[in-house]
Amino acid sequence: MKKFFLVLLLAIASCKGPAEEIPEDILPKEKMVQILIRIHIAEAAVGVKNLPSDSASKLYKSYQNEIFKEEAVGDSAYAKSYSYYVVRPELMDKIYGAVVDSLSLREARGKLN
């Protein structure tokens, strides 16, 4: 469902104009890549546990909080940055290209944790 939402947002956002300079209060693309890699690994870890949705949600939230703490990023800074990139498909495409490449490489090496 999350992937459908992302694709839908990217399709809607594809009507935006040319790329602009990234504001200082937005996380750099490289930082977003690192956080998104960890978030997708956390989502997968929760998904394979086959927990009831409320338990899965609590576990995912704890993983997410730990990621933000370790990456020294507030959840509001992440949310603001994600919102910024999601309406700029050319930038989000580059970010997710790097995320997918990294996850694929980790999977091939058997190191998805």
Side-chain angles (χ1 to χ4, degrees):
M1 183 69 173
K2 289 181 183 182
K3 289 180 184 178
F4 172 76
F5 182 72
L6 177 62
V7 170
L8 178 63
L9 284 176
L10 288 175
I12 291 169
S14 65
C15 300
K16 295 289 178 191
E20 62 212 46
E21 185 127 351
I22 297 170
E24 287 184 26
D25 62 338
I26 300 300
L27 298 174
K29 291 182 284 188
E30 299 78 17
K31 186 73 162 180
M32 285 297 292
V33 168
Q34 292 306 311
I35 293 170
L36 286 168
I37 288 167
R38 295 187 66 193
I39 283 176
H40 287 295
I41 291 171
E43 286 176 346
V46 171
V48 299
K49 294 186 186 295
N50 293 319
L51 297 170
S53 62
D54 60 333
S55 297
S57 180
K58 286 179 185 177
L59 180 59
Y60 172 73
K61 188 66 175 166
S62 71
Y63 285 165
Q64 187 180 45
N65 289 338
E66 186 64 26
I67 291 166
F68 292 153
K69 181 180 175 185
E70 290 175 4
E71 295 289 341
V73 171
D75 57 348
S76 60
Y78 169 78
K80 182 176 183 176
S81 298
Y82 191 88
S83 295
Y84 174 86
Y85 287 116
V86 83
V87 296
R88 290 162 178 83
E90 69 283 351
L91 296 176
M92 189 59 106
D93 217 24
K94 289 178 183 177
I95 289 169
Y96 263 96
V99 169
V100 169
D101 288 348
S102 179
L103 290 173
S104 296
L105 183 59
R106 288 176 186 217
E107 182 180 35
R109 291 182 178 170
K111 295 182 179 179
L112 276 178
N113 48 18

